Amino acid sequence: MTQPTHAQSLWDMMNQSRTLTDAEREANSAAAIQAIDTVEPILSYDTVNNLQMAIAQYEPFVARGGWEQVPQETYGVTMGVARDGVVQLKRRLLASADMPMVENVDVAMDAPTDAALRRFQARHGLQVSGQVDEATWYALNVPAETRLRQLQLNLVRVQTMAQALADRYVVVNIPAAFIETVEGGMVVRRHTAVVGRIDRQTPILKSRIHQINFNPFWNVPVSIIRRDLIKTMNENPNYLTEQKIRIFDGGGQELQPSQVNWQTEEAVNYRFRQDPGPLNSMGNVKINFHNPHAVYLHDTPTKGLFGDNARFFSSGCVRVDQVRDFVGWVLRDNGDWGDAEIGNVFSTGERKDVDVRSPVEIHTTYISAWANRNGVVSFRDDVYEFDMAGKVSFEA
């Protein structure tokens, strides 16, 4: 049956309105991400200047009492909703300069507020959803004086580390769980990362990337054997076989899982090695740099973790998203390792070790607050509680 003309027109209008709203949200997200996605490194002399400018802006604001709290009534608020608490949300977003100044505010979650909320989420490393979820609400309610303290601590950290940077270097920023490749004072590329969880922290260090292992074996660390593997084998005796992990004694003889007493810690006396392949915990590549902690960067078969908001899942090593591009940048000066060659060894599964002709400086760092020259300030959670402890030096 044919619908009346006025009904069809109303339906068309609703669809058009919805399309325009979706486009507006996408534009707001793009603008929010663009505000933080500059070529300025998180660790450089420019960062020092930017942090000093941010501190100068925050100090008088904090002296006047900071910003007000956002009530729980804002939970779930998204564009098009009118609810108690949105007035306080707007005032909070105005206070942190995420939202342009207006003459008055009301309870409507409108397009400018959506844009401001997305900008806030981008600055805090949250999912840019335009909705006040739990993580966003908690970040909104961190006191301004706490944020100022973060800026002050991180200024000292960056000043210390920026004194002797090479022209080409890698920064692994633990609180942000991302990696920057830097050259000539500019970021070449940012990579999402997975870093150490709170009880197995990624160490802070400076070294040089000296070797790439393509399709490597994985030698299971003793700490993981003790903490995880023994427990897992008691729950699933077929685990080692399923994961293609072999056991070797001190003389290099291979043992069967049934030869080990899993009711004790006998397993820590043996070497456990996972074969290369799609199940290997390091994926297609391991990236080595000398350090006393036996940590490294690597690929992973579990790519889904890169999409998580808080990426603190590893046992200390660092997993790298888009690792093929990262390896290509590291091996640039080798000459014979372009994208085609790297892609080929990834696809064939060939075991190959390549020494880096020009070893690249790497810094694993703890920078929980930084700013760019446009005055956009970014913050991350104090996951290892180094800010809480007032820690600015990480030397052993």
Side-chain angles (χ1 to χ4, degrees):
M1 181 172 124
T2 304
Q3 291 184 345
T5 303
H6 75 274
Q8 291 179 348
S9 299
L10 181 59
W11 181 253
D12 290 342
M13 289 171 61
M14 289 173 63
N15 276 339
Q16 183 181 25
S17 175
R18 183 172 58 194
T19 302
L20 289 172
T21 300
D22 288 344
E24 201 165 34
R25 288 171 175 168
E26 289 175 9
N28 286 345
S29 288
I33 293 168
Q34 186 178 15
I36 62 168
D37 193 20
T38 69
V39 297
E40 296 169 78
I42 197 171
L43 174 59
S44 70
Y45 275 116
D46 284 342
T47 312
V48 172
N49 296 330
N50 297 339
L51 279 166
Q52 289 171 332
M53 291 173 59
I55 290 168
Q57 292 171 351
Y58 269 69
E59 282 178 331
F61 180 75
V62 170
R64 293 194 298 269
W67 47 64
E68 64 184 295
Q69 296 288 290
V70 177
Q72 287 191 359
E73 285 83 357
T74 56
Y75 266 11
V77 163
T78 189
M79 188 170 163
V81 172
R83 187 183 298 174
D84 289 343
V86 174
V87 169
Q88 291 95 321
L89 173 63
K90 289 182 176 182
R91 286 203 288 250
R92 170 66 179 83
L93 294 170
L94 286 165
S96 54
D98 290 295
M99 190 172 178
M101 292 301 297
V102 293
E103 288 187 9
N104 52 63
V105 293
D106 55 25
V107 297
M109 183 73 178
D110 51 18
T113 312
D114 176 82
L117 183 60
R118 289 173 192 267
R119 179 183 169 96
F120 176 89
Q121 290 172 326
R123 292 194 305 108
H124 292 78
L126 303 168
Q127 297 291 344
V128 183
S129 64
Q131 182 179 47
V132 180
D133 55 22
E134 184 176 13
T136 301
W137 183 79
Y138 275 108
L140 285 164
N141 284 303
V142 173
E145 53 266 36
T146 300
R147 293 309 193 193
L148 174 59
R149 177 64 172 155
Q150 276 187 275
L151 289 167
Q152 293 166 334
L153 288 168
N154 284 280
L155 172 62
V156 179
R157 291 170 187 161
V158 173
Q159 283 176 322
T160 302
M161 291 184 285
Q163 292 177 1
L165 291 169
D167 183 64
R168 284 183 93 224
Y169 59 95
V170 173
V171 176
V172 179
N173 187 25
I174 295 165
F178 69 60
I179 297 168
E180 290 180 346
T181 56
V182 182
E183 190 166 357
M186 294 190 296
V187 174
V188 177
R189 187 182 177 101
R190 289 188 176 92
H191 297 260
T192 304
V194 174
V195 297
R197 53 188 185 262
I198 294 170
D199 61 333
R200 303 187 196 183
Q201 298 178 4
T202 296
I204 296 182
L205 56 86
K206 175 184 176 181
S207 185
R208 285 186 178 272
I209 298 172
H210 67 91
Q211 188 182 61
I212 306 295
N213 303 141
F214 289 106
N215 302 301
F217 291 100
W218 178 47
N219 292 300
V220 184
V222 173
S223 60
I224 293 180
I225 296 171
R226 179 176 283 112
R227 292 179 178 181
D228 301 320
L229 196 57
I230 293 173
K231 179 177 181 291
T232 301
M233 282 299 290
N234 278 292
E235 295 171 350
N236 176 15
N238 295 320
Y239 178 78
L240 293 179
T241 303
E242 293 169 355
Q243 296 297 314
K244 300 191 182 306
I245 299 175
R246 303 176 187 272
I247 312 170
F248 298 91
D249 65 18
Q253 295 295 312
E254 185 172 356
L255 304 177
Q256 296 303 309
S258 58
Q259 294 176 261
V260 177
N261 183 353
W262 298 103
Q263 303 304 312
T264 69
E265 288 200 347
E266 178 190 342
V268 300
N269 299 314
Y270 304 124
R271 183 164 61 93
F272 291 76
R273 190 185 73 184
Q274 188 176 34
D275 292 340
L279 297 175
N280 190 283
S281 295
M282 289 184 292
N284 288 116
V285 66
K286 177 188 176 192
I287 300 147
N288 294 313
F289 45 93
H290 297 299
N291 67 89
H293 311 281
V295 296
Y296 42 82
L297 308 186
H298 64 96
D299 185 19
T300 176
T302 53
K303 311 290 189 192
L305 292 177
F306 291 122
D308 284 10
N309 198 43
R311 299 180 298 278
F312 308 97
F313 300 108
S314 85
S315 293
C317 293
V318 179
R319 306 172 200 176
V320 187
D321 194 20
Q322 304 297 317
V323 72
R324 178 169 157 178
D325 294 330
F326 181 85
V327 170
W329 182 82
V330 170
L331 292 178
R332 184 198 65 184
D333 293 341
N334 277 50
D336 53 350
W337 279 97
D339 184 65
E341 289 77 13
I342 294 170
N344 182 62
V345 77
F346 268 45
S347 61
T348 62
E350 179 186 2
R351 266 288 298 120
K352 200 166 187 66
D353 298 329
V354 179
D355 291 331
V356 181
R357 194 163 295 168
S358 301
V360 180
E361 189 172 283
I362 181 170
H363 302 261
T364 61
T365 66
Y366 197 90
I367 302 174
S368 61
W370 64 95
N372 62 34
R373 68 188 60 167
N374 297 324
V376 180
V377 186
S378 294
F379 295 100
R380 294 297 185 272
D381 288 343
D382 182 21
V383 288
Y384 292 172
E385 297 186 347
F386 291 164
D387 294 348
M388 185 184 297
K391 195 168 186 178
V392 294
S393 175
F394 300 99
E395 296 178 3

